[in-house]
């Protein structure tokens, strides 16, 4: 039932590309079949075990890479219609591991000419300093309690909320697409995943924004819209809300 909801949602917004995380239980073959059902003949999944990321498209994926080394989960790189795209799912366990993973992604992005559009998108499992005024004691207590319950989780930095991971992208010249379009805070998780108002126990009901689309300066010039889509379908399809962006690309002359 939920997959049918997902197909209906995608057919309604008709995106050119779709980036997803936590494709648990899916294979490259079944992903291709799913993507074909909503009009995307091109699909790529990073791996088949653990927590894969995936990228599907109406047009071919060029020079793609699937990276699992030095990543708790993985990331995908591909070029689509001249846009360099990274689909990431950074570690949920520690901010130090996320920093390492962010540096890996940014090191590859740095090899690309700054004159070309670059997007880094996905679940970063990290807060951004631009939202700090919305994160009060409730968020701190939730993160602190998880550290006390699970010794392998260390997401507070010197007993404070960590913003260092997202700062890495800002320092590298990337811009937060949502904040380029919106000033108000909107959380990207959690949702009512089962449709009955029950929240995934791994994401207690404290609203945070940890899903982003980061643009380099060139890509930001073409950005025309970015929203976190909240409706009856997105409240139950996933435990995170989708981040949706539109870019108006220049027509290339022959």
């Amino acid at each position: 039932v939920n997959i049918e909801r997902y197909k209906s949602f995608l057919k309604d917004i008709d995106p050119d590309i779709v980036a997803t995380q936590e494709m648990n239980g899916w294979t490259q073959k079944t992903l291709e079949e799913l993507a074909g059902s909503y009009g995307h003949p091109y699909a790529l999944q990073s791996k088949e075990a653990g927590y894969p990321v995936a990228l599907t498209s109406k047009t071919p994926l060029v020079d793609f890479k699937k990276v699992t080394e030095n990543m708790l989960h993985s990331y995908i790189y591909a070029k689509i219609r001249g846009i360099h795209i990274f689909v990431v799912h950074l570690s949920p366990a520690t901010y130090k591991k996320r920093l390492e993973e962010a540096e890996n992604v940014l090191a590859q992005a740095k090899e690309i000419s700054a004159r070309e559009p670059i997007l880094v998108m996905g679940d970063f499992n990290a807060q951004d300093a631009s939202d700090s005024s919305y994160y009060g004691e409730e968020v701190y207590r939730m993160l602190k309690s998880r550290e006390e319950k699970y010794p392998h989780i260390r997401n507070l930095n010197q007993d404070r909320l960590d913003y260092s991971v997202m700062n890495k992208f800002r320092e590298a010249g990337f811009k937060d697409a949502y904040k380029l379009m919106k000033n108000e805070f909107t959380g990207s998780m959690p949702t009512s995943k089962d449709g009955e108002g029950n929240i995934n126990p791994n994401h207690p009901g404290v609203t945070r924004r940890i899903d982003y689309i980061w643009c380099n300066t060139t890509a930001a010039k073409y950005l025309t819209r970015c929203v976190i889509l909240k409706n009856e379908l997105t409240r139950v399809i996933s435990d995170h809300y989708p981040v949706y962006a539109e870019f108006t690309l220049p027509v290339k002359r022959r």
Side-chain angles (χ1 to χ4, degrees), residues 12-82:
D12 184 48
I13 63 173
D14 191 28
D16 293 307
I17 72 164
V18 174
T20 49
Q21 298 76 42
E22 296 194 25
M23 294 295 290
N24 306 40
W26 293 83
T27 66
Q28 177 65 32
K29 183 66 176 175
T30 58
L31 172 68
E32 290 171 8
E33 293 169 354
L34 174 65
S37 73
Y38 56 80
H40 283 198
Y42 305 96
L44 182 68
Q45 186 163 307
S46 62
K47 57 182 181 176
E48 295 191 350
Y51 290 76
V53 298
L55 179 62
T56 71
S57 175
K58 290 182 178 180
T59 52
L61 285 66
V62 180
D63 296 334
F64 61 79
K65 297 178 183 178
K66 301 183 286 185
V67 180
T68 57
E69 293 82 4
N70 301 308
M71 302 289 294
L72 180 65
H73 296 320
S74 57
Y75 75 85
I76 281 173
Y77 162 80
K79 192 174 183 181
I80 301 176
R81 293 179 61 191

Side-chain angles (χ1 to χ4, degrees), residues 167-179:
N167 285 343
K168 281 285 180 187
F169 287 88
R170 293 188 184 282
E171 290 164 7
F174 282 82
K175 303 176 188 300
D176 177 354
Y178 179 78
K179 282 301 176 79

